[in-house]
Each structure stands twice: as C-alpha cells, then as structure tokens.
Amino acid sequence: MRSRIVALLVIVLVMVLSACGAPTKEDVMKKLSGKWNDAKGYDLQATMEIKTGAEPRMYDVEVWHTKPDFYRVHVTQKGKEDSQMIVRNDEGVFVITPSLGKTYKFQSDWPTQNSQAYLIGALSGDIKADKNAIMTEKDKTYVFETATRNNHKKVLPFQQIHIDKKTLLPKYVSVLDENKEEKIRIVFNKIALGVEHKAEEYAVDMEKSNTESGKPAQDKGKEKEKEKDKEKTGLKTYYPSVNWEGVTLNEDESVKIENGKRTFMTYGGQKEFTIIQEPAVRPEKMVAVSVNGDPIDLGFTIGALTKNSISWESDGISFFIASESLTQEEMIEVAASMVPESAK
C-alpha cells in the first residue's frame, strides 16, 4: 500500500514539473506583446552593421516612438559626418538629409507596410505575423527566427531576434540572406520603455536643419566649395552588380549638363529597366521636396519607391531607376547593388 502511495506521489510530481516546464513559443510571444506594445512610447539607441557592400558599414541609430504614430529615427554613419533622419508626425513622413540640403516629404503610412528591424514594435509584429516562426533557447536568451516583412525580403528573407530572458527586451537582430548568412546586425545598446515625447518634439524645423546638426554656416560654405571642386573633377559612374541571367546592357551613353554629365543605361532581355544618374544639386538652404511613393531604407541611404520607379541620392549623385517589368523588390535589389565602375 505504501509503495502505491509513493508511486502516485511520483506521478503527481512529474505532472507538476511538466506543467512548470520551459515556456512555449506562445507563452513568450504573449509576454513580449504585452511588454513591448503596452508601453506608450520608447527611446532606444543601437548600432547597425551592414555587410552587403564591398566593405562593412557601421551606423549609430537613435529612435523615438510615441504612440500611436509618431516616430523619429536618426541614423549616422560612423567615421563620416553624413546623417539622415526619418520623422513621422501629423503632417506626413519626412526624410531629412543635411548633407544634401533637402528634406523629402512623403504622404505614406511608413513604417506600417515596411517593417524595420530597429523598431521594436515592428519586431513584435514580425513574430506574430509568421505562423512558422521558430523559438529556441540559448543560455539567457530566447531566439526567434522569423520571415522578414520589409522591402528587402526577397534578398534578405530571414531574421533572428535575440531576446533577453530576464528583461524580455531585444539584445540584437541578425538579418539573413537566403543562405542564412548574416548581412545586417542591429545591436540594441539601450531601450527605455514608457518614454513619451510631445508632438512639437516631432516637428520638422527647416531653419534648424539648415545648421546641419549644429555646424556653423561658414563650415557649410567650405563644404559647398569642396562639392563644386568634386563636380569639376567628375563623379564615378555606377553600375548594378546583380547577375541576372538573360539581362544585358543595351545602351550606355552620357550627355553634358550644367554641373557635369547625365548618364543613361538601358538594360534589356528577360528583365528591362533604365538607370539615370547625374550630379546631385545641393541648394543654398534646406528646402522641402514633395516626393511620390514610400520611403525605402536602402541600407546606405533612404530612397523613394513607387510602383514603377525608385530614386535616391548618394555619394553626390542622384539616381533614378524606372521599369515597367521589374517588381518593387527587384528594383530595390538593383538599387542596393549599385557600385562604381572601378569596383565592378
């Protein structure tokens, strides 16, 4: 009789321990959703390494978010003075580029349809949206592997989200290509939940933008002279490095314009598209430019994406790609692959 009681107690103990076992994916997802989404806002600081080019590029990223729809994302490339800021407020979505002297205004629902790995709300949405998401545990970390939901999902389809078990906050995110090789890593150095900023703090101040983040006007004048000298010596011509079978460069010609040359490239075959590039013009003062389409993060800059075109400015050059046959993902792939002729 006593042995029966002991055996029964053992069975009960096993059942209790089983019930108190490792949390399921659904358990963790519920906790994450509650912690990340219930906060009225947050501030975070992160570093982002992009490994898709010839050399890795490092960026500092600072994010403000106040519910429901206010965002401010400031991205600065390490070792360079170039920076960009994306602001979403009641008036629209703005991309501020001090080095170009321009502020682009979009009528867009960004980032709703373009998940960004440095926005923790977007990461939560990625986990929820992927019914096939896999969760594993490594020491003090939960690791979710999910599909990406941004405009790069064709070439960077996977991501691994590493979450601290104790704080339930993301530690870092690895964005992977189709071979599961890491191409982007975002490390979260600081996340403060519950921080709210007033609406006026998300306002876009054109006069303040003209100071180029505090640089005095005389310094800007010197930079403009350097840009003019650069234009005189000429800019490199960029070519796409995508290797698509059955696609050839049919035409490559240039015409002289006031500040340099405008280059036209026409590709044909199984995929047809045109690339136009010319020196970017920097105005004397920061100006607002209305843009059709949605802001798209190309990794090295922010572009404007429409159904049949993508445009951006980088390295002193204005780029434009147009196509009636490429998908948006394919246009982004071409844009992200552009390299100077010497690097082909």
Side-chain angles (χ1 to χ4, degrees):
M1 183 67 180
R2 185 176 180 181
S3 62
R4 279 184 166 183
I5 294 174
V6 172
L8 183 60
L9 288 174
V10 170
I11 292 172
V12 171
L13 181 60
V14 168
M15 292 175 65
V16 170
L17 291 175
S18 298
C20 299
T24 65
K25 179 181 72 172
E26 289 70 25
D27 292 334
V28 177
M29 287 172 61
K30 187 175 181 180
K31 291 180 181 179
L32 294 179
S33 179
K35 189 175 183 71
W36 296 2
N37 294 330
D38 288 350
K40 294 181 179 179
Y42 64 79
D43 283 3
L44 69 80
Q45 295 174 4
T47 55
M48 177 169 63
E49 181 180 11
I50 297 178
K51 308 174 184 179
T52 54
E55 295 289 337
R57 300 185 301 278
M58 295 293 298
Y59 298 85
D60 290 320
V61 182
E62 187 177 274
V63 179
W64 293 357
H65 171 49
T66 301
K67 281 193 170 182
D69 297 318
F70 281 20
Y71 291 88
R72 195 192 80 158
V73 179
H74 191 198
V75 181
T76 306
Q77 185 172 359
K78 287 183 178 290
K80 294 190 177 183
E81 295 181 344
D82 289 349
S83 67
Q84 282 193 316
M85 185 181 293
I86 309 175
V87 175
R88 178 172 177 175
N89 56 29
D90 284 335
E91 297 180 12
V93 177
F94 298 83
V95 176
I96 304 163
T97 54
S99 62
L100 300 174
K102 297 172 185 174
T103 292
Y104 300 96
K105 182 179 180 181
F106 298 80
Q107 291 301 325
S108 167
D109 62 356
W110 180 93
T112 304
Q113 301 300 325
N114 188 10
S115 173
Q116 299 294 334
Y118 45 68
L119 303 177
I120 60 175
L123 293 177
S124 175
D126 291 344
I127 294 173
K128 281 184 177 181
D130 188 357
K131 303 303 180 184
N132 298 315
I134 299 171
M135 188 192 81
T136 57
E137 295 186 49
K138 294 182 179 179
D139 298 326
K140 300 178 181 180
T141 306
Y142 297 118
V143 181
F144 280 89
E145 183 168 315
T146 78
T148 57
R149 293 187 302 149
N150 57 41
N151 292 112
H152 300 277
K153 58 181 176 287
K154 183 175 179 180
V155 291
L156 299 174
F158 308 109
Q159 64 184 348
Q160 292 177 345
I161 306 167
H162 296 249
I163 300 164
D164 186 279
K165 285 184 178 180
K166 184 177 181 180
T167 65
L168 291 180
L169 291 174
K171 297 166 66 175
Y172 71 93
V173 178
S174 293
V175 184
L176 315 173
D177 65 13
E178 58 185 6
N179 298 317
K180 298 294 182 75
E181 292 185 8
E182 183 181 77
K183 294 300 180 183
I184 300 175
R185 173 173 287 212
I186 298 170
V187 178
F188 296 95
N189 303 314
K190 179 182 178 182
I191 299 175
L193 296 179
V195 179
E196 295 181 81
H197 291 272
K198 296 178 181 178
E200 52 264 34
E201 294 183 76
Y202 290 91
V204 176
D205 188 333
M206 297 298 292
E207 289 300 320
K208 186 177 180 180
S209 298
N210 271 315
T211 66
E212 290 198 18
S213 302
K215 291 182 187 177
Q218 58 266 32
D219 288 348
K220 292 191 294 176
K222 292 178 182 177
E223 289 179 4
K224 291 175 187 177
E225 290 301 318
K226 289 180 181 178
E227 288 176 4
K228 290 179 180 178
D229 291 339
K230 190 176 181 181
E231 289 172 5
K232 291 176 184 177
T233 59
L235 296 170
K236 293 181 179 179
T237 301
Y238 282 63
Y239 291 84
S241 58
V242 289
N243 187 18
W244 287 337
E245 186 177 351
V247 178
T248 57
L249 176 58
N250 293 339
E251 293 183 36
D252 185 357
E253 58 182 28
S254 300
V255 296
K256 287 186 178 180
I257 57 176
E258 185 178 355
N259 61 335
K261 67 178 182 179
R262 178 179 295 137
T263 300
F264 298 86
M265 300 174 191
T266 302
Y267 287 79
Q270 294 186 13
K271 299 179 188 293
E272 298 179 347
F273 55 95
T274 299
I275 301 173
I276 302 173
Q277 52 190 299
E278 62 185 65
V281 178
R282 191 190 194 287
E284 291 295 320
K285 289 186 176 182
M286 180 72 75
V287 296
V289 181
S290 294
V291 179
N292 292 324
D294 292 313
I296 171 67
D297 189 345
L298 295 173
F300 50 88
T301 191
I302 304 297
L305 180 69
T306 70
K307 182 180 179 181
N308 298 117
S309 71
I310 183 170
S311 58
W312 74 98
E313 292 187 356
S314 178
D315 294 331
I317 302 174
S318 176
F319 295 89
F320 180 79
I321 297 174
S323 176
E324 294 290 333
S325 59
L326 294 185
T327 65
Q328 288 185 321
E329 290 82 2
E330 287 172 333
M331 286 192 293
I332 293 167
E333 189 175 353
V334 174
S337 76
M338 296 292 288
V339 295
E341 184 174 16
S342 59
K344 285 177 63 183

